[in-house]
Amino acid sequence: AQSVSQHNHHVILSEAASLELGCNYSYGGTVNLFWYVQYPGQHLQLLLKYFSGDPLVKGIKGFEAEFIKSKFSFNLRKPSVQWSDTAEYFCAVRKTGTASKLTFGTGTRLQVTL
Amino acid sequence: GAVVSQHPSWVICKSGTSVKIECRSLDFQATTMFWYRQFPKQSLMLMATSNEGSKATYEQGVEKDKFLINHASLTLSTLTVTSAHPEDSSFYICSARDAGSDTEAFFGQGTRLTVV
């Protein structure tokens, strides 16, 4: 069974600091990778996704992630965070295929201070 | 992106009663919908995969007789929590994928269930 690990459970950064959130998965086959964000009191929103092609994926709000197949990793990055980025971030993986389910990591709570 | 709507957004019910939560894909057809449960400050745990016109597939440890799932049409799946108890209080989230399309899943806004 596939699993997803997010090593940072709670991250506190000052505005303008750079961000990198780790995500590793365990599955040997072809996968689709996702990062979702959940702002306080809101539903999950897709930040970015990787299906194939360029392993460096750019998403919304200045976020990007790099798929490193050899490391089974899909780390999320942002060069300069803003206070409005305070949220919960979830990495998710699924095997390729139209009916396969998403497996979520435990989430990383990002708190950005002014 | 596509829209998935959940109803209700929150519900309070008495212990022993049943609660139905609806998940609708508003602008696409979804042969597959997923139901998740999220405890406070924790990740989403998949409860079951709902397939239109067939029985749902439940994850290990999820009681199928307690969490009844019906996916009667390509735009609607329902989750009924039967004989609810306080420990069933949680945030329930559905997601749906466009039929025949290998895209990301879209999530509903979630339903906060409180059993008193």
Side-chain angles (χ1 to χ4, degrees):
Chain A
Q2 61 210 46
S3 65
V4 181
S5 297
Q6 289 182 245
H7 314 296
N8 317 102
H9 298 293
H10 188 191
V11 173
I12 303 174
L13 294 173
S14 300
E15 262 205 331
S18 64
L19 170 73
E20 179 159 2
L21 301 182
C23 173
N24 288 88
Y25 66 94
S26 64
Y27 178 67
T30 308
V31 295
N32 301 142
L33 298 154
F34 307 82
W35 275 97
Y36 285 89
V37 61
Q38 188 175 31
Y39 297 103
Q42 296 188 30
H43 65 279
L44 282 169
Q45 299 173 40
L46 181 68
L47 267 182
L48 47 79
K49 62 186 178 185
Y50 172 80
F51 277 53
S52 64
D54 189 344
L56 183 61
V57 178
K58 294 193 184 297
I60 61 172
K61 305 186 181 188
F63 286 92
E64 66 177 30
E66 185 175 10
F67 171 48
I68 303 179
K69 189 174 182 180
S70 61
K71 294 184 178 180
F72 297 89
S73 69
F74 190 55
N75 292 354
L76 180 71
R77 299 194 291 250
K78 185 170 183 178
S80 175
V81 294
Q82 299 174 304
W83 179 79
S84 58
D85 293 325
T86 295
E88 191 89 21
Y89 292 81
F90 294 96
C91 180
V93 173
R94 72 161 191 238
K95 293 184 288 185
T96 55
T98 57
S100 56
K101 60 189 181 185
L102 276 173
T103 300
F104 282 85
T106 50
T108 297
R109 185 174 185 185
L110 172 65
Q111 186 178 347
V112 180
T113 60
L114 296 171
Chain B
V3 177
V4 175
S5 176
Q6 252 182 272
H7 179 80
S9 299
W10 60 270
V11 58
I12 302 172
C13 71
K14 289 185 178 181
S15 193
T17 62
S18 295
V19 174
K20 180 185 284 188
I21 302 169
E22 293 187 346
C23 178
R24 294 181 184 273
S25 56
L26 297 186
D27 50 4
F28 66 98
Q29 294 184 326
T31 51
T32 304
M33 291 186 175
F34 303 89
W35 286 96
Y36 294 85
R37 185 172 177 176
Q38 186 181 25
F39 290 100
K41 300 183 180 181
Q42 294 188 33
S43 186
L44 284 75
M45 301 301 296
L46 180 67
M47 298 174 66
T49 302
S50 167
N51 300 296
E52 188 266 336
S54 64
K55 291 183 179 180
T57 304
Y58 290 82
E59 294 299 299
Q60 193 173 9
V62 177
E63 298 175 60
K64 62 178 69 176
D65 294 330
K66 180 167 189 61
F67 299 100
L68 300 179
I69 291 172
N70 184 279
H71 193 158
S73 76
L74 285 172
T75 58
L76 173 65
S77 175
T78 59
L79 168 68
T80 301
V81 183
T82 62
S83 187
H85 290 284
E87 56 265 30
D88 298 325
S89 298
S90 190
F91 196 55
Y92 294 87
I93 304 172
C94 75
S95 74
R97 292 179 60 183
D98 199 340
S101 174
D102 193 21
T103 64
E104 73 269 23
F106 299 95
F107 286 80
Q109 68 270 42
T111 298
R112 171 79 56 197
L113 169 63
T114 302
V115 184
V116 298

